[in-house]
Structure formats: structure tokens, C-alpha cells
Amino acid sequence: MQRRAECDMGVPPTPSGQRGRAKRLNRVLVCAAAVPAMLIAAGCSSDSGSDGGEDKAAGASASASASPSPTVRAAVYTDLPEACGALSEKTLDDLVPKAKSGKESQSDDIATRAGCSWDSLTNNGVDGSQFRWLNVSMLRFDSDVARGAGDELAKEYYAKQVKDAQATDGAKGVEAEPLSGTGDEATAVRYDLKKKEGTFKQQTVVARVENVVITLDYNGAGLAGDKTPSADDLMKDAKKAAGEAVTSVTGTKDGKGSKADEGDKNSKSGKGDGDGGAPGSGAPLESKS
């Protein structure tokens, strides 16, 4: 009763009372410090639970759905016809009379790039001779995710071929005209080239059908005093031949074969040695005996 009275009266407690209160205070502080630590641990445990993993998986799925794999439309034509069989016997007789076997262009992949050339020299005795050279080249473009659709790539190459034909070195009197009814688009280019043997009349027809570009070169010259052939006649023949070449390409789509004329199996449509020349090059303009 005296100690309680002393406290109530503001009298300082005895040393033994101070030690007791200090011990109780230490226990209270230790317990108070332990409570936040437990709450922090519980909070960390909750953050690392299954809900967080599911959220991450859902986010990854949403990201994948927002970025689909790129696609490109498939190319229409997946093969090329036999280049040396692209023209009928009659057409070859008209354009390159008495021509020998066609000379197939060298190619590492004939399903992508193919070509064939023919040449003839008709001797007219003291009047001289007539020279003709014909070349058909075909280039097919596959669709590619990185580069684009095959027909779009073919359009670019088609435009380049037309431009190159018009810019041939030494060309005189260059003329160009669009053609209808020959593939999806076509252009005919004509010009003269003067050589030591004579004046050569060059006709080039560039045509595109879907993802395939066809370049047909045809030239003629009168040699050793023979008259120069008519450019109009040569162009008429070149257009006809280009139309047959286009038909030979479209025939591969239905699996009908590669020849413009299935009955033509003679040597003119056969394969020979050598290189038919580059597309649109105008090729060798010298006569061959």
C-alpha cells in the first residue's frame, strides 16, 4: 500500500520496481517488432503464388495473339514449260526457216529459269542471204514472306525488262507499244542496230502471266547485199510467237504439258548444246554458217 501510495504521490519507484518494468517493456518491444516482420513475410508469399503465374501466362498468350505469323499469297505457277518446245513447228518454220535444233539456255533450275534460241541463214545466191535469230526466255518467281508475292515480284522484273530493251546500246529509232491479249500485260519494243554485216531489225516482246515473265527476242537482217527485212513483218511474227509462249506457260497450270503443239516432236523443238543468251539481250547478231 505504501509503494502504490508513493507512485500516486509522484515519489520515484524503488530500483527493484524499475528493473521489473524494464523487463516488461523489452518483451512488449520484441513482440511489436515481430508483428510487422510476419506481415511482410505473408505479403511476399502471397505475391509469388499461382495467381501471378497465371497473369504472366495470360499476358504472353495475348502478346502472341496480337502478332500473328506473316503470310503471303501463293504463286499461281509452280513450274515452267520446256522452253525449246514452247513454239509450234509452223511458227518456227515461219520465223527461223531451216533452223537447226533449238539451243537450250544453261540453268541450274529449269523450273525457275528456262530459255531456248534458234538461228537460220537462208542463202539467196548472188543476192546475199537472210539471217534470223529467235530467243525465248522465261523467268518464274515464287512467293516469299520476306520479298513478297510472286506476281508482284514478276511485275517489277517485267518493268525492268521493258526498260532494258528500250535502253539497248546502239539502238536507233526505238519504239514501244503495249499489247493486249498477251498474258496479263505485255509490251513490244522495236529498234535498229547497225553492225558490220548490215542493219539488224530487232523486235522484243516482254509479257507477264501471273508470276512468270516471258521475254521474246527476234531479229533479222539482209546480209551480203540482200535487202533489209520489214520491221513490221518481223514484229507481227514476234507477237504471234510471244502469244504461243504465253500459252505454253498457262498450260502448265492445268497439267496439260509444256508444248504449244503436242504433235511437234521434230528436231526444231529438241534440245541442243550451248546457251540461248540472256533475256532481252538482243543476243548474237552475227550470222552463223
Side-chain angles (χ1 to χ4, degrees), residues 78-128:
T78 58
D79 199 3
L80 289 176
E82 181 187 348
C84 288
L87 304 180
S88 67
E89 159 135 14
K90 185 180 185 307
T91 296
L92 292 173
D93 280 340
D94 291 341
L95 273 64
V96 280
K98 301 179 181 179
K100 297 180 181 180
S101 299
K103 296 179 181 179
E104 188 176 29
S105 301
Q106 295 179 356
S107 174
D108 294 333
D109 183 5
I110 59 175
T112 300
R113 181 188 296 271
C116 192
S117 65
W118 302 260
D119 62 80
S120 69
L121 185 66
T122 303
N123 191 342
N124 294 321
V126 295
D127 293 329

Side-chain angles (χ1 to χ4, degrees), residues 49-236:
S50 60
D51 290 343
E54 290 176 359
D55 290 342
K56 292 179 180 179
S61 177
S63 177
S65 299
S67 303
S69 299
T71 59
V72 62
R73 62 178 175 274
V76 172
Y77 296 101
T78 58
D79 199 3
L80 289 176
E82 181 187 348
C84 288
L87 304 180
S88 67
E89 159 135 14
K90 185 180 185 307
T91 296
L92 292 173
D93 280 340
D94 291 341
L95 273 64
V96 280
K98 301 179 181 179
K100 297 180 181 180
S101 299
K103 296 179 181 179
E104 188 176 29
S105 301
Q106 295 179 356
S107 174
D108 294 333
D109 183 5
I110 59 175
T112 300
R113 181 188 296 271
C116 192
S117 65
W118 302 260
D119 62 80
S120 69
L121 185 66
T122 303
N123 191 342
N124 294 321
V126 295
D127 293 329
S129 59
Q130 287 289 323
F131 173 76
R132 299 289 186 273
W133 181 81
L134 173 65
N135 184 78
V136 177
S137 297
M138 294 174 280
L139 188 61
R140 184 182 63 81
F141 293 84
D142 285 319
S143 294
D144 182 87
V145 172
R147 299 177 62 203
D151 59 330
E152 294 297 332
L153 297 174
K155 286 180 182 179
E156 295 177 5
Y157 182 72
Y158 164 83
K160 180 179 183 300
Q161 285 293 86
V162 173
K163 184 178 179 180
D164 288 349
Q166 294 175 291
T168 301
D169 290 341
K172 302 295 183 181
V174 179
E175 296 179 13
E177 61 172 316
L179 300 181
S180 60
T182 305
D184 295 316
E185 56 184 334
T187 300
V189 180
R190 68 168 71 183
Y191 52 83
D192 292 347
L193 278 176
K194 289 187 177 181
K195 300 286 185 178
K196 61 180 181 180
E197 296 86 359
T199 299
F200 290 79
K201 298 289 185 177
Q202 172 71 32
Q203 323 297 317
T204 298
V205 178
V206 184
R208 181 186 67 83
V209 52
E210 296 290 351
N211 57 308
V212 177
V213 176
I214 301 164
T215 304
L216 185 140
D217 290 301
Y218 183 49
N219 65 49
L223 307 178
D226 207 342
K227 65 180 180 179
T228 301
S230 166
D232 289 339
D233 290 342
L234 294 177
M235 178 56 79
K236 181 179 179 180

Side-chain angles (χ1 to χ4, degrees), residues 9 56 73 136-137 188 266-267 273 286:
M9 295 176 63
K56 292 179 180 179
R73 62 178 175 274
V136 177
S137 297
N266 68 14
S267 61
D273 297 328
E286 293 79 22

